[in-house]
Amino acid sequence: QVQLVESGGGSVQAGGSLRLSCAAFGSTGNYYNMAWFRQAPGKEREGVAGINIAGTTNYADSVKGRFTISKDNAKNTLYLQMNSLRPEDSAMYYCAHSYNYRRSPPLAGYEYKYWGQGTQVTVSS
């Protein structure tokens, strides 16, 4: 069992930055993937960035070069640094965890079993 708690969301103007955090509690395991997803009202959930235990990362094309996913193993915390934010980045952001290790961290929601409650990001133009 893994419990995930996101924080760091908020409102920012276009071009600004935010850093999201996801604290993981419980048995995160020795082999896993974690990821950030987002969902805007009326839109499908979208995988944003993923990372595996080895530190290999994967990004959606829409955020490449602007977002950076990282993890602090000692703190059991996942991060998402978001720079050059755009209004279209506005969404509820969720972190997710999977015990099913993948060499390339997947960005499909069905790959992940545990989810946080989400943190809202709003970017104004």
Side-chain angles (χ1 to χ4, degrees):
Q1 280 278 24
V2 178
Q3 294 81 42
L4 303 171
V5 180
E6 302 97 334
S7 61
S11 297
V12 65
Q13 288 193 326
S17 298
L18 283 173
R19 188 176 82 153
L20 306 182
S21 299
C22 173
F25 302 93
S27 301
T28 56
N30 293 323
Y31 295 94
Y32 62 82
N33 294 305
M34 293 189 74
W36 288 97
F37 289 79
R38 66 187 180 187
Q39 188 167 20
K43 294 189 175 181
E44 291 189 357
R45 183 176 57 195
E46 174 189 19
V48 174
I51 189 167
N52 66 18
I53 186 64
T56 302
T57 58
N58 187 23
Y59 295 93
D61 288 343
S62 58
V63 305
K64 279 180 182 176
R66 300 188 299 123
F67 291 10
T68 302
I69 189 171
S70 63
K71 58 183 176 66
D72 184 328
N73 292 332
K75 296 181 178 180
N76 261 357
T77 302
L78 180 73
Y79 302 99
L80 185 68
Q81 177 66 43
M82 305 186 294
N83 298 327
S84 301
L85 282 162
R86 305 167 179 168
E88 54 264 38
D89 294 318
S90 297
M92 186 72 79
Y93 282 72
Y94 302 90
C95 70
H97 174 284
S98 168
Y99 288 119
N100 294 326
Y101 174 82
R102 297 281 188 267
R103 187 172 298 179
S104 177
L107 297 181
Y110 68 83
E111 293 274 2
Y112 295 86
K113 181 175 181 180
Y114 299 101
W115 295 81
Q117 82 290 348
T119 186
Q120 179 69 40
V121 171
T122 303
V123 184
S124 58
S125 57

